[in-house]
Amino acid sequence: MSWSTIDILTLGCSKNLVDSERLMAQLRQAGFTVRHDPEVVEGDICVVNTCGFIGDAKEESINVILEQGERKAAGELKKLYVMGCLSQRYLTELQAELPEVDAWYGKFDWPQLLTNLGKGWDDNLKPHRVITTPSHYAYVKISEGCDRRCSYCAIPLITGHHVSRPMEDILDEVRQLVALGVKEFNVIAQELTFYGIDLYHRRAIAELIDRMADIEGVEWIRLHYAYPTDFPWELLDVINRHANICRYLDIALQHISTPMLAAMRRHITKDETYAFVERMRREVPDLHLRTTLMVGHPGETEEGFEELLDFVKWARFERMGAFAYSEEEGTYSAEYYTDDIPEEVKQTRLSKLMRLQQRISSEVQEAKIGTIQRVIIDRIEGDYYVGRTQFDSPEVDPEVLIPLKGNSLIIGHFYPIIISSADDFDLYGTLTLTEQV
């Protein structure tokens, strides 16, 4: 088989992106030219890495597959392969409806794609991945799956039980990425705080992050997707002990009403959630909390929604996302509850919640005016260098804009920036010193 150009299109979350990066490394070693999310898809082979989390994501995945199927029918594409969450969950149905796809892979069997291309998977390949993000930051996936069974969530149906990666394997990957120039490590998992229970019979996330922070060259570590119930509080001690662990924690709380939390199967109460946030604030005073909240879950009353608004006013989350409940087949709520909240009510509640958060976010950002922040520069856009503080995760959080004029900054380097102004989400600043920090 002659060497071909392979375009990989990644949809969904950063966990999918890591899978695509691992596949790219194998394909390149096998002699293929590989491109990730090119502006123009024109390779001989296309691999679509799908998302199947919620309705909009599923629709996007199907549309991309159909677009590439049309290219194949027009003779512009030789082979079309599909992998990821959507095909993991709906393989039988998709095979029947989309015969133009040459082969389907799920969430875990996609290494077989190398065999289909006449090659084999190399377990000893180092580095494990081709980084598709800017070269100074990367995502590090420490586990797969989830043992939580929240009422609304289809992810355990797709990914199965929680499976931790061995600690030494993760640390070895971090060292390799440091050698490639990566400075910022965004640690991801479906359930971060469950790490280690299956391998070490204990919650080992604190030890893992402690050891990761000791690796020379690791400038920033940021933690994503924790869970409040049975939280390993020793992790906060580790955060306080290391200057290179960002004062940032992404932890979805979903709601505050005790009846709603029970219906969601979150295994926590209103009072316990208030106490949880209060302890977080007390033990790491400069911590920026990112959370995700849901409105419109079956059974949510107006009183329950008002409780949620009061909670957000009190908690003042530095970063917050929210979404309206969408029934997913196979989940507990789809089987046992009735989707009884009209869509217009869901959207009204969502808009009200996000307007509240916009005001809070604006106040949080304004409080940074006059402070000096350590900022990493991600890119140039228009008349600005665009960077982030330790409190900002790539792609989802606010950014810092520094004028191009009068500055000569280097992408991927850190600089001390004095914050001069702010809008609802982003910050504006100027370089305070000529020397890098």
Side-chain angles (χ1 to χ4, degrees):
M1 176 179 183
S2 61
W3 299 145
S4 301
T5 297
I6 300 178
D7 290 334
I8 297 180
L9 309 180
T10 302
L11 307 171
C13 67
S14 52
K15 294 184 285 295
N16 267 12
L17 181 65
V18 171
D19 291 342
S20 291
E21 291 177 341
R22 290 185 60 212
L23 177 59
M24 288 178 68
Q26 296 284 337
L27 291 170
R28 285 190 178 177
Q29 177 172 270
F32 295 95
T33 298
V34 188
R35 305 184 308 166
H36 185 262
D37 286 344
E39 290 186 11
V40 179
V41 182
E42 55 187 7
D44 306 306
I45 298 170
C46 182
V47 180
V48 182
N49 189 355
T50 59
C51 179
F53 178 38
I54 57 176
D56 289 346
K58 290 185 283 189
E59 182 178 357
E60 181 186 17
S61 294
I62 291 294
N63 288 338
V64 171
I65 296 169
L66 290 172
E67 289 170 7
Q68 297 310 309
E70 291 174 359
R71 288 187 60 234
K72 185 182 176 190
E76 300 172 3
L77 181 66
K78 293 179 182 177
K79 295 288 184 181
L80 174 58
Y81 300 113
V82 177
M83 60 183 279
C85 293
L86 189 74
S87 48
Q88 177 74 27
R89 191 174 183 197
Y90 299 107
L91 178 61
T92 302
E93 299 94 319
L94 291 169
Q95 285 176 324
E97 294 177 9
L98 298 168
E100 57 268 44
V101 176
D102 292 283
W104 298 87
Y105 307 93
K107 183 67 179 167
F108 305 108
D109 64 346
W110 48 266
Q112 182 67 24
L113 193 154
L114 269 292
T115 303
N116 277 13
L117 293 173
K119 302 296 172 183
W121 187 270
D122 183 358
D123 287 326
N124 298 314
L125 178 64
K126 297 181 184 301
H128 300 297
R129 297 156 53 189
V130 172
I131 299 302
T132 61
T133 53
S135 60
H136 53 277
Y137 73 79
Y139 296 97
V140 178
K141 182 162 57 172
I142 65 171
S143 64
E144 291 279 10
C146 184
D147 284 350
R148 306 290 185 181
R149 290 296 183 268
C150 301
S151 65
Y152 49 84
C153 186
I155 288 176
L157 303 176
I158 300 169
T159 60
H161 288 291
H162 177 99
V163 178
S164 303
R165 290 178 60 195
M167 195 175 300
E168 293 302 330
D169 182 47
I170 297 168
L171 297 174
D172 182 52
E173 180 180 6
V174 170
R175 294 184 189 100
Q176 292 175 41
L177 292 172
V178 167
L180 293 174
V182 176
K183 302 174 182 179
E184 173 186 349
F185 296 84
N186 295 284
V187 178
I188 56 175
Q190 192 58 46
E191 216 290 47
L192 192 80
T193 56
F194 227 70
Y195 176 78
I197 287 181
D198 53 324
L199 289 181
Y200 311 115
H201 310 293
R202 59 185 171 84
R203 295 180 185 271
I205 184 65
E207 179 186 346
L208 172 66
I209 300 305
D210 193 28
R211 294 181 62 186
M212 190 182 297
D214 282 336
I215 295 174
E216 186 175 355
V218 172
E219 296 273 359
W220 274 355
I221 298 171
R222 190 177 290 103
L223 304 175
H224 291 271
Y225 319 128
Y227 192 96
T229 307
D230 301 321
F231 185 84
W233 291 103
E234 63 271 18
L235 179 60
L236 299 189
D237 296 333
V238 173
I239 292 173
N240 283 325
R241 195 159 59 243
H242 292 279
N244 60 350
I245 302 177
C246 298
R247 271 48 180 175
Y248 180 106
L249 186 61
D250 187 336
I251 185 159
L253 298 176
Q254 302 300 355
H255 216 280
I256 191 60
S257 161
T258 294
M260 198 79 275
L261 291 167
M264 289 178 168
R265 307 177 82 198
R266 295 288 291 174
H267 307 291
I268 197 169
T269 66
K270 175 180 179 176
D271 289 346
E272 289 168 343
T273 303
Y274 269 94
F276 175 84
V277 174
E278 190 172 39
R279 182 172 177 181
M280 285 272 174
R281 299 294 196 199
R282 183 175 65 252
E283 295 199 15
V284 187
D286 54 347
L287 184 68
H288 275 45
L289 283 174
R290 163 169 277 283
T291 197
T292 305
L293 301 174
M294 180 190 292
V295 299
H297 185 280
E300 184 186 51
T301 63
E302 281 296 335
E303 292 77 12
F305 176 65
E306 289 298 324
E307 284 185 73
L308 184 61
L309 293 176
D310 289 341
F311 175 57
V312 171
K313 292 174 187 175
W314 173 84
R316 295 183 59 80
F317 296 108
E318 289 80 6
R319 312 284 181 251
M320 192 197 85
F323 60 101
Y325 171 81
S326 172
E327 184 173 277
E328 293 295 319
E329 62 267 33
T331 60
Y332 185 91
S333 61
E335 184 171 354
Y336 294 103
Y337 302 147
T338 299
D339 188 2
D340 58 354
I341 311 296
E343 188 60 32
E344 59 269 23
V345 173
K346 294 178 185 177
Q347 294 305 319
T348 297
R349 291 176 181 175
L350 180 61
S351 296
K352 189 172 183 179
L353 181 62
M354 291 312 298
R355 285 196 302 271
L356 170 60
Q357 179 58 28
Q358 185 173 353
R359 292 196 297 271
I360 293 170
S361 177
S362 179
E363 292 167 2
V364 167
Q365 295 298 81
E366 287 176 1
K368 293 186 173 70
I369 295 174
T371 66
I372 296 175
Q373 301 289 333
R374 188 179 189 227
V375 172
I376 192 166
I377 305 300
D378 283 338
R379 65 188 186 279
I380 294 173
E381 191 173 295
D383 295 329
Y384 294 95
Y385 293 99
V386 181
R388 290 172 293 108
T389 73
Q390 65 166 314
F391 308 118
D392 306 306
S393 191
E395 300 177 6
V396 296
D397 286 331
E399 295 175 316
V400 182
L401 281 68
I402 304 110
L404 279 174
K405 188 176 181 180
N407 291 305
S408 182
L409 308 184
I410 301 171
I411 305 299
H413 284 225
F414 293 91
Y415 296 92
I417 302 296
I418 185 167
I419 304 304
S420 56
S421 63
D423 58 26
D424 287 347
F425 294 101
D426 293 330
L427 300 172
Y428 297 82
T430 55
L431 187 66
T432 61
L433 303 170
T434 57
E435 296 182 5
Q436 179 184 339
V437 295

